[in-house]
Amino acid sequence: MLDLSFPWPIGLIPIAMTVWAFYGLYRAVVTRDGVSWASVVSVLGLVAFMAALTAQVVKPVINQALSLMIAQFLGTGACFLLVKLLWSVQKTKPKPSLPSLRRPDVKVFRGMGICLSFLIVMDGLFFLFPDAGRCEHFKGYMADKCAGQELFIGIHDLPVEIYFGVVLGVPALVGLILGVWALFRTAGLPNDDEPNAKNSAGG
């Protein structure tokens, strides 16, 4: 029998954010606005909730940190797919241009380093402290405060960890993947901060 007593494995705040994300995605498709900041955030919120719900239903027996990393990679693929679908229904697309391809400058490498460091730190904390934040570790006032948080956020367990791990980790993983893709795409080309050879020769 379905147990609907509080607290839920996935709390009221993630559920409300998912309802908003579903509406934003529905509106982007119906109005054919396609890819926008609002629709991308909606995709991320919907994918995070589906990952958390899958963890609650499947209840994986593998390590929690490994479950989180798998959810992040699969969530990243799902986000790319949904954004591609939004792009396919977008009514106004920017006109294609032929920009001069050049290798990314140091800012791209710095951004990739930040994304990779964030992923390592976040997933490493989940690996080192898998039981952190659970209410049974607290007593008295802190236990009551923790129970109140679980009412709105959800039980401190794998589904909620995956929800926030996907919400925070997928953007960093996307940035890292796009940076690596840009490096491979522009391999062998001059750096972005180098002067154009033709211009320098003409000068």
Side-chain angles (χ1 to χ4, degrees):
M1 184 176 180
L2 184 62
D3 184 10
L4 296 179
S5 60
F6 289 105
W8 292 347
I10 304 173
L12 298 177
I13 291 179
I15 291 176
M17 293 174 65
T18 304
V19 172
W20 174 85
F22 182 80
Y23 170 75
L25 194 60
Y26 169 79
R27 189 175 186 277
V29 173
V30 171
T31 61
R32 297 183 63 191
D33 289 338
V35 180
S36 64
W37 283 109
S39 63
V40 170
V41 173
S42 298
V43 166
L44 178 61
L46 187 61
V47 168
F49 180 80
M50 294 306 298
L53 185 61
T54 301
Q56 173 62 22
V57 174
V58 175
K59 300 185 184 300
V61 296
I62 58 178
N63 182 271
Q64 289 191 8
L66 181 59
S67 299
L68 174 61
M69 288 187 285
I70 292 174
Q72 288 170 341
F73 277 100
L74 294 180
T76 300
C79 286
F80 275 120
L81 178 61
L82 289 175
V83 170
K84 178 66 175 178
L85 292 176
L86 286 176
W87 176 260
S88 67
V89 301
Q90 186 166 328
K91 58 184 176 183
T92 56
K93 298 183 175 68
K95 294 182 179 180
S97 59
L98 296 174
S100 57
L101 291 177
R102 305 179 70 84
R103 285 183 63 83
D105 57 12
V106 68
K107 294 181 180 179
V108 175
F109 291 97
R110 187 181 298 117
M112 291 173 60
I114 293 173
C115 292
L116 181 59
S117 301
F118 180 78
L119 283 170
I120 292 175
V121 170
M122 182 179 65
D123 293 351
L125 289 176
F126 277 110
F127 175 76
L128 295 175
F129 308 103
D131 296 332
R134 295 193 175 182
C135 294
E136 56 262 26
H137 300 320
F138 303 105
K139 295 182 180 180
Y141 168 75
M142 292 302 298
D144 295 336
K145 184 178 179 180
C146 182
Q149 292 176 349
E150 286 190 339
L151 178 64
F152 294 99
I153 298 176
I155 298 175
H156 290 81
D157 204 352
L158 184 61
V160 169
E161 292 176 359
I162 284 184
Y163 179 85
F164 288 102
V166 169
V167 166
L168 299 175
V170 164
L173 190 56
V174 167
L176 184 62
I177 291 174
L178 292 179
V180 173
W181 176 79
L183 292 178
F184 276 103
R185 187 186 181 199
T186 58
L189 297 177
N191 293 332
D192 193 38
D193 52 0
E194 290 180 357
N196 189 293
K198 294 183 180 180
N199 293 339
S200 60

